Amino acid sequence: MCGIVAAAAQREVSEILLEGLRRLEYRGYDSAGMALIDNGHVLQLRKYSGKVKALEDANALNPIIGCRGVAHTRWATHGEPTSANAHPHISGDRVALVHNGIIENHANLRDALRAQGVEFRSETDTEVIVHLINTSLEKGASLFDAVRETVAQLEGAYAIAVVDTEHENEVVVAREGSPLVLGVGIGETFAGSDTLALRQVTDTFVYLEDGDLAVLKPSGFQIFDGSGAPITREKTRLKGGDNQTDRGEFEHYMLKEIYEQPDRLRDTLTFDALDDSLFGDQAAAIFDQVQAVQIIA
Ligand code: GLU
């Protein structure tokens, strides 16, 4: 598990991305990084092992600027928690990518890319994704098509967010098996692993589903299926203020999550889209007879 945040805005986004990472630190915290594209179309990258604080301190000393960017707090699955393995991963000094999940067929993809002369800078499963995208871009694909062609080759779970210096007005995201939500602002669009990361900037969200891709621009967003056909997903407006910003009175996020379970269960059960048939075609009849639920583990 890890946390990703992305932004396509008309204002500087480094502080928004950092705040998003602080809020996502409960999902992963062995390293953190961000990449922004500045107005001169230059990719700026910072990544460090350790907590988000290391990235924050480095950025305070030597800030990076830009209105489009991607950021990540990692929980390593492939490769040590070093700065080289931290995300974002880059390719061709133009594409930067963050990834939450595990790519099962990374070894085969890496061998094929190496055979084409691609050099790897990390031990992660993730790095194959960014090189595949760059390979498509170099053949003339748009950023959206490059991401779409790439995810079609992946086996495993991913939520990804990608920026490219040659498509500096947009961020492309995709998900399969890992969570990803869009945050809809006025003149700016965001994506994150969790609404908590984006509640600082908006109360309007669009939950992506498995197989979805989206193009984020300051002016709005468009969602597509894997064939490239446009699709729509409902907007959700969260009630209440931005009151989940930190651990509150709790010493650890895990403790906070345990105490929040009754509320989250209540929210889930009242969510309109909850469909009994997900539990099997007999579920509705069985659920009608349920008198108590015992949670044993
Ligand atoms: N598998 C990737 C890695 O080890 C992403 C891990 C994560 O989701 O934080 O870098």
Side-chain angles (χ1 to χ4, degrees):
M1 189 156 101
C2 79
I4 69 180
V5 199
Q10 291 165 310
R11 56 174 163 155
E12 295 292 330
V13 292
S14 65
E15 273 310 315
I16 295 171
L17 294 178
L18 277 170
E19 176 60 18
L21 292 186
R22 280 180 215 116
R23 293 166 178 230
L24 289 177
E25 213 163 14
Y26 75 94
R27 294 179 61 86
Y29 41 73
D30 63 42
S31 50
M34 63 181 173
L36 299 181
I37 295 180
D38 71 15
N39 290 338
H41 302 237
V42 176
L43 185 67
Q44 303 194 42
L45 176 69
R46 299 269 190 287
K47 51 187 198 170
Y48 301 91
S49 59
K51 296 194 170 192
V52 173
K53 181 88 170 58
L55 176 65
E56 196 179 311
D57 290 347
N59 197 56
L61 282 177
N62 185 12
I64 60 174
I65 52 167
C67 303
R68 325 276 184 268
V70 295
H72 188 269
T73 175
R74 179 173 184 239
W75 187 306
T77 64
H78 293 66
E80 297 292 308
T82 59
S83 57
N85 289 335
H87 303 213
H89 291 287
I90 60 168
S91 187
D93 286 330
R94 62 177 283 187
V95 195
L97 168 136
V98 292
H99 165 225
N100 168 207
I102 293 176
I103 303 306
E104 309 285 356
N105 60 337
H106 70 97
N108 291 344
L109 294 170
R110 183 186 297 249
D111 289 348
L113 285 160
R114 278 207 173 115
Q116 293 166 35
V118 173
E119 284 180 18
F120 282 78
R121 301 179 217 196
S122 79
E123 304 159 311
T124 63
D125 53 331
T126 299
E127 196 181 344
V128 297
I129 313 175
V130 73
H131 292 311
L132 287 171
I133 293 170
N134 191 30
T135 304
S136 288
L137 287 169
E138 282 177 351
K139 289 181 188 152
S142 66
L143 181 58
F144 172 72
D145 282 334
V147 172
R148 195 170 59 81
E149 288 163 14
T150 295
V151 296
Q153 300 174 61
L154 303 179
E155 289 165 20
Y158 55 82
I160 57 171
V162 192
V163 286
D164 171 38
T165 55
E166 302 301 311
H167 295 80
E168 59 104 22
N169 196 34
E170 64 191 37
V171 178
V172 176
V173 300
R175 72 156 276 190
E176 177 71 43
S178 297
L180 196 60
V181 62
L182 306 186
V184 185
I186 298 167
E188 50 194 21
T189 311
F190 304 92
S193 301
D194 185 325
T195 55
L196 178 64
L198 305 175
R199 194 65 184 81
Q200 48 162 330
V201 280
T202 184
D203 62 357
T204 306
F205 295 95
V206 178
Y207 294 94
L208 296 185
E209 296 184 11
D210 278 345
D212 288 357
L213 297 102
V215 178
L216 282 49
K217 296 185 176 179
S219 55
F221 64 91
Q222 177 87 61
I223 304 174
F224 302 88
D225 67 15
S227 75
I231 50 175
T232 51
R233 301 274 177 233
E234 267 180 41
K235 281 186 186 161
T236 303
R237 194 148 198 184
L238 294 190
K239 298 196 193 94
D242 180 17
N243 55 4
Q244 298 183 54
T245 53
D246 55 31
R247 296 192 307 268
E249 69 206 80
F250 300 103
E251 199 178 340
H252 303 288
Y253 279 110
M254 189 178 288
L255 200 59
K256 180 171 187 265
E257 286 178 4
I258 289 168
Y259 278 90
E260 284 180 345
Q261 282 177 9
D263 284 343
R264 295 293 83 82
L265 269 173
R266 215 170 284 122
D267 291 349
T268 306
L269 292 172
T270 53
F271 181 49
D272 288 344
L274 189 68
D275 179 358
D276 287 350
S277 66
L278 289 172
F279 298 91
D281 51 9
Q282 303 298 313
I286 294 169
F287 287 169
D288 278 348
Q289 297 167 40
V290 169
Q291 298 187 352
V293 175
Q294 292 183 8
I295 296 174
I296 55 172

